[in-house]
């Protein structure tokens, strides 16, 4: 996404706001003092409906991505001794952070609907191909929205005259998304561009650059994702047919590449944020570490993504004094042993010595050591910041200069291959599951600039071998690769763990209250959803949703994961 794109977007939004109150676009098109028909297009409103779904402003990026999805996904952790919070944050419900996430997702429907209304037949900027794009964006949006909260307004959302739409179940939403995707793909057909001249979406389309065939592959891959997620859930009556249909049509692949959104580190963080806006603006209190689940999987399998995902721990000398607290911590030794066990699990090179009430750990620099997840507030003082690895520089890229940074993943060609591998293993399609697995790994690593040779070497290891073993073992390996490829795409990585149950270290939850934050309504189980924000209760249909889905708690398992 380039700087001039967003400047043009801002100009277009101002144009819309200034003129819509006094005249409609038909008048503008004939007003010699205004804009002519060949100067206006729905494409000038496209970027704003795209960017905020994957890179909202800093307030939301911090609360929705960092505090919730990336941590529930098990990629990032708080709770080191420089952090403002223990890693129990969000596992213990906090309404202000949940409200930020819910308000963003519930409110984002208006952005999607507005673009659809502009481009639909009879709309101010009628364009059937941009309307097809709006249907696909609606699918991306609703999949994230429903997989986060469960039942949400769908069939009655945005319907004229309905101010309090009912909440629909996930099965209804999934089927509705697939129907929209099928409609969009039928509209696109073999067409390659949305129009000519000003009607060509071009660079204003920050997902696919105006390439309608890439949009079609995106839609079909999203269809496959949703169908695979819904497959086998209670009452599923659509997934198998949708899987067959999707796998008989073009998907994202090595030739097309992934659909990503390039970060722009020059525009305002209040228009489009990145991880670095939190990391660099607040000092150590807002910093986060990378989880032991992720780092150990990367290290133990010689994964070439290790150094592009993660930085080594700084290391140093760390002193733990059992007499330092008043009264003394009765669980001091248990908590210290836990830290030592984390170093051992990471294969760290360290020394440990005890003199009187003090235990000293010395960790050499340059080592990759992940921090265990969900550490509670009582264990917080034991989690020394410099013991653990932090995100790589591309992840925490500072604002103020043109840089590549990390990709915002809309949907990757890697996932398309992994989904096909899973479908084959489950007997839903014919084909070579191992070939799909290998291709998925290569595409996942391509996103991070890793060579095909390095990817092939990694794919030859047992972690990626699905030629033998039970079907469950094969599914575990596919799920693990999807989870690894979901780094920086926390909402999707979190959904993978809930749906497929892997990595099991995360999905199994925690049980030891001495070490971990069990969560005020989770009791140690893995978070299955976020609570609705306070605004949801204003809808009189809210109680009916709770009656159908279960209490408004984070441990309630959503339909797709049942």
């Amino acid at each position: 996404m380039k700087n001039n794109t967003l400047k043009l977007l801002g100009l277009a939004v101002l144009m819309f706001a200034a003129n819509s109150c006094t005249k409609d676009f038909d008048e503008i098109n004939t007003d010699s003092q205004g804009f002519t028909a060949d100067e206006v297009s729905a494409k000038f409103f496209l970027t704003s409906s795209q960017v905020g779904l994957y890179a909202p402003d800093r307030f939301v990026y911090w609360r929705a991505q960092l505090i919730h999805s990336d941590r529930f996904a098990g990629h990032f952790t708080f709770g080191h001794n420089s952090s403002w919070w223990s890693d129990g944050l969000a596992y213990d419900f906090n309404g202000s952070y949940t409200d930020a996430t819910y308000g963003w997702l519930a409110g984002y429907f208006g952005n999607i609907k507005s673009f659809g209304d502009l481009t639909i037949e009879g709309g101010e900027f009628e364009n059937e191909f941009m309307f097809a794009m709006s249907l696909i964006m609606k699918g991306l949006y609703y999949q994230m929205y429903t997989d986060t909260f469960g039942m949400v307004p769908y069939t009655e959302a945005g319907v004229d005259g309905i101010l309090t739409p009912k909440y629909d179940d996930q099965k209804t939403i999934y089927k509705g998304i697939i129907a929209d995707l099928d409609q969009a793909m039928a509209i696109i057909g073999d067409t390659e561009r949305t129009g000519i001249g000003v009607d060509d979406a071009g660079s204003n389309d920050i997902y696919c650059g105006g390439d309608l065939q890439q949009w079609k592959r995106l839609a079909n891959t999203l269809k496959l994702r949703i169908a695979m997620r819904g497959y086998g859930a209670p009452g599923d009556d659509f997934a198998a047919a949708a899987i067959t249909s999707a796998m008989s049509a073009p998907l994202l692949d090595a030739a097309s590449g992934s659909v990503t959104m390039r970060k722009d580190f020059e525009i305002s963080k209040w228009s489009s944020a990145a991880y670095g806006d939190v990391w660099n603006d607040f000092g150590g209190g807002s910093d986060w570490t990378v989880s032991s689940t992720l780092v150990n999987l990367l290290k133990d399998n010689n994964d070439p993504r290790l150094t592009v995902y993660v930085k080594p721990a700084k290391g140093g000398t760390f002193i733990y004094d059992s007499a330092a607290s008043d009264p003394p911590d009765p669980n001091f030794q248990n908590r210290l042993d836990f830290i030592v066990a984390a170093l051992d699990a990471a294969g760290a090179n360290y020394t440990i010595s005890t003199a009187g009430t003090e235990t000293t750990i010395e960790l050499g620099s340059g080592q990759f050591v992940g921090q265990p997840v969900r550490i509670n507030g009582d264990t917080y003082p034991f989690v020394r910041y410099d013991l653990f690895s932090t995100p790589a520089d591309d992840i925490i890229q500072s604002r103020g200069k043109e840089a590549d940074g990390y990709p915002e993943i809309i949907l990757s060609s890697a996932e398309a291959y992994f989904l096909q591998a899973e479908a084959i293993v489950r007997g839903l399609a014919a084909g070579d599951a191992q070939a799909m697995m290998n291709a998925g790994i290569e595409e996942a690593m391509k996103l991070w600039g890793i060579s095909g040779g390095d990817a092939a070497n990694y794919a030859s290891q047992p972690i990626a071998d699905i030629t033998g073993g039970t079907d469950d073992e094969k599914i575990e390996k596919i799920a693990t690769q999807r989870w690894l490829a979901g780094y920086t795409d926390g909402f999707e990585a979190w959904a993978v763990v809930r749906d497929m149950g892997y990595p099991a270290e995360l999905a199994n939850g925690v049980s030891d209250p001495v070490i971990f934050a069990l969560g005020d309504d989770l009791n140690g189980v893995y978070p299955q959803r976020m609570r609705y924000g306070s605004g949801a209760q204003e809808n009189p249909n809210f109680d009916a949703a709770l009656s159908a889905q279960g209490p408004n708690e984070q441990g309630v398992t959503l339909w797709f994961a049942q």
Side-chain angles (χ1 to χ4, degrees):
M1 178 178 59
K2 298 294 187 182
N3 219 13
N4 59 355
T5 300
L6 287 169
K7 289 176 181 175
L8 184 58
L9 163 67
L11 177 62
V13 171
L14 289 173
M15 178 195 77
F16 179 83
N19 288 283
S20 60
C21 297
T22 58
K23 59 181 77 176
D24 67 20
F25 285 108
D26 290 334
E27 294 176 24
I28 292 173
N29 291 345
T30 59
D31 182 355
S32 62
Q33 302 301 312
F35 296 89
T36 61
D38 61 353
E39 292 176 319
V40 292
S41 166
K43 77 174 186 178
F44 296 122
F45 302 93
L46 173 59
T47 311
S48 63
S49 63
Q50 293 180 326
V51 65
L53 187 57
Y54 294 94
D57 65 55
R58 191 185 70 187
F59 180 83
V60 172
Y61 208 95
W62 194 345
R63 289 154 179 79
Q65 274 86 343
L66 261 173
I67 289 177
H68 284 103
S69 68
D70 291 324
R71 293 178 52 256
F72 287 172
H75 288 156
F76 293 148
T77 45
F78 291 136
H80 55 79
N81 69 327
S82 293
S83 174
W84 289 331
W85 312 284
S86 82
D87 205 41
L89 180 69
Y91 295 95
D92 293 317
F93 170 70
N94 185 307
S96 63
Y97 298 126
T98 293
D99 278 1
T101 308
Y102 181 78
W104 162 58
L105 277 174
Y108 205 80
F109 174 71
N111 298 54
I112 303 294
K113 184 178 186 299
S114 293
F115 186 71
D117 288 346
L118 281 176
T119 55
I120 198 171
E121 184 177 359
E124 295 288 355
F125 294 126
E126 178 181 336
N127 183 305
E128 62 177 332
F129 302 115
M130 291 192 200
F131 177 68
M133 291 159 61
S134 80
L135 293 175
I136 300 166
M137 291 189 294
K138 179 183 174 185
L140 290 165
Y141 159 72
Y142 260 109
Q143 185 246 308
M144 183 188 297
Y145 186 20
T146 185
D147 285 358
T148 300
F149 297 103
M151 294 181 66
V152 294
Y154 178 73
T155 55
E156 294 182 351
V159 175
D160 287 345
I162 299 180
L163 301 180
T164 55
K166 69 178 181 179
Y167 287 68
D168 293 289
D169 59 71
Q170 283 201 295
K171 176 181 170 182
T172 298
I173 297 170
Y174 277 20
K175 292 175 75 171
I177 294 172
I178 289 174
D180 280 347
L181 297 174
D182 284 341
Q183 180 184 354
M185 289 187 283
I187 291 170
I188 292 170
D190 296 328
T191 307
E192 296 183 353
R193 309 299 296 185
T194 58
I196 58 175
V198 75
D199 289 322
D200 184 353
S203 61
N204 291 72
D205 171 16
I206 55 175
Y207 292 175
C208 301
D211 181 347
L212 284 175
Q213 292 308 303
Q214 185 74 334
W215 274 98
K216 193 173 180 180
R217 288 184 287 266
L218 169 62
N220 197 40
T221 305
L222 179 60
K223 176 180 175 178
L224 181 58
R225 171 197 277 178
I226 292 170
M228 289 299 300
R229 185 153 294 158
Y231 178 73
D236 162 37
D237 59 1
F238 67 93
I243 292 164
T244 299
S245 171
M247 291 187 64
S248 66
L251 297 155
L252 295 172
D253 59 14
S256 69
S258 298
V259 177
T260 63
M261 189 174 78
R262 183 178 182 271
K263 303 296 294 183
D264 188 324
F265 291 97
E266 294 190 58
I267 64 172
S268 168
K269 60 197 168 192
W270 301 117
S271 297
S272 174
Y275 291 121
D277 299 324
V278 178
W279 185 277
N280 295 295
D281 288 1
F282 298 99
S286 67
D287 290 0
W288 60 96
T289 53
V290 184
S291 80
S292 56
T293 308
L294 179 63
V295 173
N296 292 347
L297 268 172
L298 296 169
K299 281 184 62 176
D300 293 347
N301 296 283
N302 300 309
D303 195 317
R305 288 171 289 195
L306 176 63
T307 56
V308 296
Y309 279 13
V310 186
K311 282 197 297 193
K314 290 182 179 178
T317 300
F318 309 91
I319 299 174
Y320 298 84
D321 187 351
S322 62
S325 61
D326 184 19
D329 179 0
N331 296 299
F332 175 88
Q333 195 59 49
N334 288 341
R335 293 184 170 117
L336 179 58
D337 289 346
F338 174 77
I339 298 299
V340 172
L343 297 176
D344 289 339
N349 180 20
Y350 68 95
T351 62
I352 185 169
S353 59
T354 301
T357 61
E358 291 186 350
T359 298
T360 301
I361 295 175
E362 294 188 14
L363 178 73
S365 62
Q367 301 186 69
F368 292 92
V369 183
Q371 180 185 310
V373 302
R374 290 182 75 165
I375 293 173
N376 64 25
D378 292 327
T379 310
Y380 170 101
F382 293 75
V383 187
R384 307 298 170 80
Y385 184 29
D386 290 345
L387 275 173
F388 299 106
S389 289
T390 54
D393 288 338
D394 279 354
I395 312 299
I396 54 174
Q397 169 70 51
S398 62
R399 189 166 294 279
K401 60 182 180 180
E402 189 75 16
D404 286 336
Y406 62 96
E408 289 287 2
I409 300 170
I410 313 305
L411 217 164
S412 71
S413 50
E415 182 171 357
Y417 284 118
F418 294 141
L419 289 167
Q420 291 174 84
E422 181 186 351
I424 294 166
V425 168
R426 293 191 186 280
L428 299 170
D432 186 339
Q434 185 65 61
M436 294 295 175
M437 182 74 148
N438 294 348
I441 288 170
E442 182 169 352
E443 288 300 292
M445 294 196 179
K446 189 186 296 182
L447 278 173
W448 296 89
I450 294 167
S451 71
D454 286 342
N457 288 338
Y458 173 82
S460 68
Q461 297 182 97
I463 190 173
D465 183 3
I466 56 173
T467 58
T470 66
D471 285 351
D472 284 344
E473 290 169 337
K474 295 174 184 178
I475 294 299
E476 177 178 4
K477 291 179 179 181
I478 295 168
T480 299
Q481 291 306 317
R482 286 188 67 189
W483 181 80
L484 288 169
Y487 187 60
T488 71
D489 185 15
F491 281 102
E492 185 57 26
W494 175 32
V496 167
V497 181
R498 288 177 288 161
D499 181 33
M500 304 182 76
Y502 300 105
E505 179 180 338
L506 299 171
N508 291 342
V510 296
S511 59
D512 185 354
V514 171
I515 303 296
F516 299 109
L518 302 189
D520 46 14
D521 66 26
L522 286 167
N523 196 29
V525 303
Y526 185 69
Q528 296 296 310
R529 61 182 293 272
M530 284 181 62
R531 292 193 193 188
Y532 296 112
S534 56
Q537 300 174 28
E538 299 172 4
N539 187 329
N541 297 303
F542 179 69
D543 288 341
L546 298 189
S547 178
Q549 180 169 276
N552 189 21
E553 297 176 354
Q554 296 185 115
V556 171
T557 303
L558 298 183
W559 174 78
F560 74 80
Q562 294 174 5

